[in-house]
Amino acid sequence: MKYKDIIEKMTIEEKASLMSGKDFWQTQDIERLGINNIFLADGPHGIRKQAEAADHLGLNESLPATCFPTAATVANSWNTELGEKIGQYLGEEAVAQKVNVLLGPGINMKRDPLCGRNFEYFSEDPYHAGKIAAGYIKGIQSHGISACVKHFAVNNQEERRMSIDTIVDERTLREIYLTAFEIAVKEGNTKTVMSSYNMLNGAYTNENIHLMREILRDEWNYDGVVVTDWGGSNDRVAGLIAGNELEMPTTAGETNKEIIDAIKSGKLKEEVLDEAVDRILDLIFTTEEVFNKPYKTEFDVKEHHQVAQEVAEESIVLLKNEGNILPLKDGIKVATIGDFAENPRYQGAGSSIVNPTVLDNTLECIEGSGIVSVGYEPGFERYGKKNQNKIDRACALAKEADVVLLYIGLDEATEAEGLDRQNMKIPQNQIDLLDAIYEVNPNIVAILSCGAAVEMPWIDKVKGLLHGYLNGQAGAKAILRIIKGEVNPSGKLAETYPVRYEDTPAFHHFPGKEVSVEYREAMYIGYRYYDSANVEVRFPFGFGLSYTTFDYSDIQMDKDGVTFKLTNSGEVAGMEIAQMYVACQSNEIFRPKKELKGFKKVFLNPGETQTVTIPFDDKTFRYFNVKTNQWEVEEANYTITIGASSVDVRLEDTIFIEGTNAPLPYDKEKLPSYYSGKANNVSEDEFETLLGRKVPVSTWDRSKPLGYNDTIAQCQYAKGGFARFAFRSISFSHWFLKKIGKRETANLIMMSVYHMPFRGVARMTGGIINMPMLDGILMIVNGRFFKGLRHVLKERSKMLKVAKGNN
Ligand code: BGC
């Protein structure tokens, strides 16, 4: 232990007090021992430090900070150095705002395009997400503070995120859902990890010994702190035993007492608590060093805005460019149409909301850009139905122009933390507008603002398509610079765009049933599925166009990696993202057709050639063997492809790799879907064979009284009439708010009430409602109204007395 001397001086009460927050964002301090509190703040793409009212839903304003493009956007840059640069700028702002732990990056896999928080995550590929995240972490931590990689792990949906039990087989867990975290821990050296809300194979992640102890601590040698997601703690002592040191936010001392009682009863060993204290002290002491010396309390707003713009410029993806409609030729008359040009959609909703220092919008940026503008029309109502008047006005304007810049996308109520999207469509009123404009002027360049993949049945009606994703406070200018050709687009998609949602691998098993979600598709998510099952897609993983062309040649390979030549064969300077995929030629152990194991982004002037090397590493040939319970290498020939996307193969070579001679883990006959790759609708039997056990019952047991971990939504079948009435009122309010167009408020009900487990009522109210009071509430819910009410009142007055006594 590093801080043995201090720990020896601490009472058990003091030790326990460090295990949970002092308030919503800060840890506890112990003045007597010179231990200060530290501040934790969201979020991945900008600092959300709430100086006054605190919440984790993005409701109350935070101090102004640069809003960088969100993770889903930056992922398209495929530039790990850029990730590090963003991290450095984020870190600088965090220091200026006296934040010790920055709650990001978020690195969960995009298992399904509908996950409401995909905009906050990088990729459908773990290697890609891990590498970019490691960059962010290094950059943030270069300032002496801590990043906090989240949400560990398998938090791939928002629906029932605080209660859902994710059922996933061990190999998929390791290869797909944990690899990015492994890279963030081992290469990024993150000092803090946030456990997720959900359960993993029957245990809450923060209590999951396999995940937290065996993998994170023992295998990856992680010695930093694990913090719960806000309100995500269930059994505090079990969490601590698993190695989840810090619980956030405050529980007003309630769970400290549970820890103390557990020590007294022998349920918890004091060494375990000491170990946790030691790690928290290390986080406190190391991240406060920067504040013990003179430090910058301001940052250069202009410079940071400029960096946000550069990041956006490298991350925007050109998806279609028929007849080279882009870049716009000089003198071309342009009509700007679409509400997003006036009111940019530049970040997501929820805990990551940043209060930007400035916000560019297209209409202002067009002035002085050199673009000849004939005017602007909104064309549609962002949250409304079709408006023929607006369409007519937009068409009249479109007729006057040579080219229409059409700004469309998803609104902020559709992509938000706490709930998943209902479908992959953009609103019909925007498609109606596109159809109408197409009739009067088919020279349309669509500029898309959304944080995740959408269906594009309308794509034939646009000649140009630029996907800006959610590109931060300077995104509008970045887009215009690409439109004008001042910047050559170089982003490539970090997720596949399927033709239709029904084609997606988790379609039949997302978001699961009442209790659990079964990851029956196993490792076949994203391109791993489409590629292996030969499913046609709209845009493949790794796809993006440029204003120039690149030639690949002269592949050479040895045991250390692959080398090839890359030439800019076009007229303008540009950047190419070369991708290395690995395919095993043996089919003894099922695998995706190919997997990304390396990439490089290279800048080339016209006519320039560079030799590019992509090294092999410990992940290039490994697979997780469930028989030996460790990483192994299969002896086989491996095809190494270098591609401009996951399907655009430019170079190829084969290498023989010696294996580790591990026993074969599977019986081929029994896993036909996995061996064929057609894993989008695997039977329960076959999935159970893969899992090696029965799947748990996935629906609520309606015969049981409701308990701490049941959700408010389950009140629909509660014994207590009052609870059923409350449920109906909540459902009605949700329906009504949606009906009158208050979708964001309706969302809040879903996010913070409907799917909240009862224990969350105690965990999230900072001590206003404690667990004994919750017992009373549960009595009411379960049909003992008066007894429950008396219990609540009695416990409340007890709590008030204790509080008075303490003052
Ligand atoms: C989110 C976290 C966030 C935390 C604090 C939670 O609801 O899941 O990502 O860091 O709130 O705002």
Side-chain angles (χ1 to χ4, degrees):
M1 278 195 303
K2 262 188 171 171
Y3 303 97
K4 200 160 173 270
D5 290 357
I6 305 182
I7 295 172
E8 275 170 4
K9 290 189 198 127
M10 291 169 84
T11 62
I12 295 199
E13 286 71 17
E14 283 170 334
K15 290 178 190 174
S17 76
L18 288 181
M19 299 297 110
S20 60
K22 170 184 182 162
D23 56 28
F24 208 81
W25 298 117
Q26 302 184 82
T27 60
Q28 189 60 50
D29 53 325
I30 305 175
E31 224 185 305
R32 163 182 103 78
L33 297 168
I35 300 169
N36 300 321
N37 51 283
I38 57 170
F39 203 101
L40 297 84
D42 283 308
H45 62 271
I47 318 298
R48 187 175 74 104
K49 179 165 182 182
Q50 291 181 312
E52 286 162 21
D55 70 87
H56 70 124
L57 307 171
L59 300 178
N60 296 299
E61 219 178 59
S62 51
L63 301 174
T66 312
C67 179
F68 292 94
T70 74
T73 318
V74 180
N76 299 325
S77 75
W78 294 61
N79 187 341
T80 53
E81 283 156 24
L82 190 69
E84 191 164 341
K85 184 165 174 184
I86 301 168
Q88 276 159 4
Y89 279 81
L90 284 171
E92 188 188 332
E93 293 191 25
V95 169
Q97 297 197 6
K98 207 159 187 290
V99 167
N100 304 68
V101 180
L102 183 55
L103 303 173
I107 60 171
N108 296 91
M109 286 294 98
K110 299 183 193 207
R111 171 180 181 243
D112 190 282
L114 298 188
C115 169
R117 232 173 155 178
N118 275 357
F119 69 86
E120 238 181 293
Y121 300 141
F122 290 108
S123 184
E124 66 186 25
D125 181 90
Y127 191 87
H128 178 266
K131 290 287 175 183
I132 299 197
Y136 267 69
I137 297 165
K138 284 184 211 158
I140 294 169
Q141 296 191 165
S142 67
H143 293 272
I145 59 165
S146 171
C148 175
V149 74
K150 63 191 188 183
H151 308 86
F152 190 59
V154 284
N155 178 186
N156 310 101
Q157 66 189 58
E158 291 299 289
E159 178 91 10
R160 294 187 285 273
R161 64 175 175 165
M162 293 185 88
S163 60
I164 198 89
D165 187 5
T166 303
I167 310 299
V168 57
D169 69 281
E170 185 68 20
R171 178 170 169 215
T172 301
L173 176 68
R174 302 298 194 113
E175 293 187 18
I176 304 294
Y177 294 101
L178 297 188
T179 294
F181 286 98
E182 182 185 351
I183 298 173
V185 166
K186 290 186 184 166
E187 293 175 31
N189 286 318
T190 187
K191 286 171 182 243
T192 311
V193 169
M194 185 188 291
S195 53
S196 55
Y197 283 130
N198 52 288
M199 288 177 155
L200 162 62
N201 291 328
Y204 282 100
T205 56
N206 72 82
E207 296 165 15
N208 195 310
I209 298 280
H210 180 52
L211 182 70
M212 290 290 169
R213 284 261 170 220
E214 294 170 1
I215 300 178
L216 180 65
R217 304 285 183 188
D218 301 346
E219 273 184 40
W220 300 350
N221 293 321
Y222 177 65
D223 63 359
V225 165
V226 180
V227 55
T228 61
D229 198 344
W230 267 233
S233 172
N234 165 49
D235 176 334
R236 185 60 191 111
V237 173
L240 202 51
I241 292 173
N244 196 126
E245 289 86 3
L246 182 60
E247 170 180 17
M248 287 300 283
T250 180
T251 60
E254 188 171 29
T255 49
N256 301 353
K257 189 168 173 304
E258 288 171 19
I259 294 171
I260 297 164
D261 290 348
I263 296 266
K264 287 186 181 152
S265 71
K267 193 174 155 200
L268 177 70
K269 291 202 189 96
E270 198 164 344
E271 297 95 85
V272 174
L273 181 61
D274 287 350
E275 193 185 286
V277 171
D278 197 48
R279 292 206 185 105
I280 290 187
L281 287 180
D282 197 46
L283 183 69
I284 295 175
F285 293 146
T286 55
T287 62
E288 71 176 3
E289 267 170 34
V290 51
F291 303 111
N292 293 337
K293 310 176 269 212
Y295 65 96
K296 270 179 33 192
T297 52
E298 274 171 11
F299 60 91
D300 185 333
V301 170
K302 261 197 174 158
E303 183 197 332
H304 285 227
H305 182 76
Q306 180 60 31
V307 172
Q309 183 186 316
E310 281 164 28
V311 174
E313 286 169 0
E314 256 209 57
S315 307
I316 292 160
V317 192
L318 176 62
L319 290 173
K320 187 173 177 187
N321 198 13
E322 199 180 304
N324 289 334
I325 190 164
L326 290 176
L328 292 183
K329 321 279 171 296
D330 283 347
I332 290 255
K333 282 188 288 171
V334 166
T336 308
I337 296 176
D339 174 72
F340 291 87
E342 190 179 355
N343 305 299
R345 171 90 206 290
Y346 62 102
Q347 64 173 332
S351 65
S352 67
I353 281 204
V354 175
N355 178 11
T357 53
V358 272
L359 180 57
D360 286 351
N361 92 37
T362 306
L363 299 187
E364 282 163 19
C365 293
I366 265 189
E367 282 173 33
S369 70
I371 289 177
V372 185
S373 165
V374 298
Y376 162 72
E377 279 296 336
F380 59 86
E381 284 169 21
R382 188 127 158 182
Y383 300 105
K385 297 215 164 67
K386 183 170 170 177
N387 181 328
Q388 195 56 46
N389 221 345
K390 288 196 167 174
I391 294 183
D392 292 345
R393 285 213 304 269
C395 286
L397 182 68
K399 277 190 201 156
E400 292 174 33
D402 301 317
V403 168
V404 174
L405 297 181
L406 182 63
Y407 283 77
I408 52 177
L410 293 176
D411 61 56
E412 22 299 269
T414 305
E415 285 177 294
E417 178 177 337
L419 74 158
D420 298 322
R421 278 190 291 161
Q422 299 296 308
N423 56 54
M424 279 184 73
K425 301 180 194 322
I426 61 167
Q428 187 56 41
N429 62 352
Q430 298 182 30
I431 300 177
D432 292 339
L433 171 69
L434 168 61
D435 290 343
I437 295 176
Y438 179 74
E439 295 303 320
V440 296
N441 186 346
N443 293 322
I444 301 171
V445 175
I447 294 104
L448 199 56
S449 300
C450 35
V454 290
E455 287 171 359
M456 299 180 183
W458 38 264
I459 191 144
D460 291 342
K461 294 202 171 152
V462 301
K463 288 197 174 149
L465 178 58
L466 265 181
H467 199 338
Y469 270 78
L470 303 181
N471 51 18
Q473 65 180 45
K477 179 105 177 268
I479 293 265
L480 286 175
R481 280 174 41 89
I482 288 184
I483 287 174
K484 282 207 66 203
E486 287 161 6
V487 171
N488 187 354
S490 64
K492 294 197 181 195
L493 295 173
E495 61 189 317
T496 309
Y497 278 57
V499 175
R500 59 192 84 78
Y501 181 55
E502 290 77 355
D503 295 343
T504 58
F507 175 71
H508 296 283
H509 297 280
F510 179 91
K513 299 218 175 108
E514 292 158 346
V515 174
S516 62
V517 51
E518 294 168 10
Y519 285 19
R520 291 204 194 174
E521 72 289 348
M523 59 184 50
Y524 295 98
I525 66 164
Y527 70 89
R528 285 172 167 77
Y529 167 69
Y530 303 110
D531 216 18
S532 311
N534 282 323
V535 176
E536 189 203 340
V537 300
R538 178 75 68 198
F539 293 114
F541 177 79
F543 175 81
L545 300 170
S546 165
Y547 294 153
T548 186
T549 48
F550 298 96
D551 289 345
Y552 291 68
S553 61
D554 294 346
I555 186 167
Q556 277 168 26
M557 193 157 58
D558 61 24
K559 59 174 192 8
D560 298 322
V562 55
T563 298
F564 55 95
K565 287 203 172 115
L566 193 58
T567 304
N568 180 346
S569 47
E571 307 285 302
V572 286
M575 285 190 265
E576 171 67 330
I577 300 160
Q579 303 155 40
M580 178 178 84
Y581 295 87
V582 176
C584 179
Q585 289 182 6
S586 149
N587 70 347
E588 290 302 322
I589 300 165
F590 68 81
R591 298 170 195 252
K593 199 156 160 192
K594 58 177 173 310
E595 297 184 275
L596 182 80
K597 298 291 176 161
F599 55 90
K600 226 173 219 149
K601 189 161 192 177
V602 186
F603 174 86
L604 293 167
N605 281 311
E608 186 185 345
T609 298
Q610 261 187 46
T611 302
V612 180
T613 298
I614 302 183
F616 297 152
D617 61 23
D618 61 322
K619 303 190 179 57
T620 312
F621 301 105
R622 73 177 192 178
Y623 76 96
F624 192 83
N625 186 306
V626 286
K627 262 205 181 134
T628 61
N629 198 30
Q630 60 183 21
W631 294 100
E632 305 281 0
V633 173
E634 184 182 358
E635 184 151 303
N637 281 319
Y638 290 81
T639 308
I640 310 293
T641 58
I642 301 296
S645 82
S646 58
V647 300
D648 184 1
V649 173
R650 299 296 180 90
L651 301 167
E652 203 169 86
D653 206 348
T654 301
I655 189 168
F656 173 77
I657 297 290
E658 273 175 34
T660 47
N661 289 323
L664 286 181
Y666 304 117
D667 180 349
K668 230 189 235 182
E669 307 295 305
K670 294 192 176 141
L671 299 168
S673 313
Y674 298 112
Y675 274 87
S676 69
K678 296 189 169 51
N680 65 332
N681 203 5
V682 174
S683 70
E684 185 171 297
D685 267 5
E686 191 177 339
F687 182 53
E688 288 182 340
T689 307
L690 179 72
L691 266 184
R693 59 177 190 279
K694 287 257 166 230
V695 292
V697 177
S698 59
T699 46
W700 293 323
D701 181 349
R702 288 174 157 75
S703 65
K704 276 198 191 148
L706 297 182
Y708 294 149
N709 286 334
D710 293 314
T711 61
I712 309 273
Q714 287 171 260
C715 285
Q716 61 188 273
Y717 64 81
K719 224 167 157 203
F722 182 76
R724 291 198 305 277
F725 172 73
F727 171 78
R728 278 198 292 274
S729 312
I730 294 168
S731 303
F732 175 77
S733 320
H734 180 252
W735 172 85
F736 183 71
L737 285 164
K738 268 176 93 172
K739 194 91 198 146
I740 61 168
K742 300 259 177 231
R743 281 170 52 215
E744 279 169 305
T745 323
N747 284 351
L748 277 177
I749 293 190
M750 273 292 139
M751 183 174 167
S752 56
V753 184
Y754 197 86
H755 290 311
M756 170 81 87
F758 282 99
R759 83 182 127 82
V761 177
R763 293 289 182 249
M764 293 301 283
T765 50
I768 296 172
I769 296 175
N770 63 14
M771 289 306 261
M773 284 163 76
L774 185 62
D775 288 335
I777 294 175
L778 283 169
M779 284 179 205
I780 297 175
V781 166
N782 289 316
R784 288 180 297 162
F785 186 84
F786 292 107
K787 193 166 179 215
L789 190 63
R790 275 199 303 277
H791 192 90
V792 173
L793 295 174
K794 193 176 88 201
E795 291 300 334
R796 190 179 132 78
S797 88
K798 248 199 222 167
M799 185 178 78
L800 292 178
K801 257 189 218 147
V802 174
K804 230 181 178 179
N806 287 345
N807 282 332

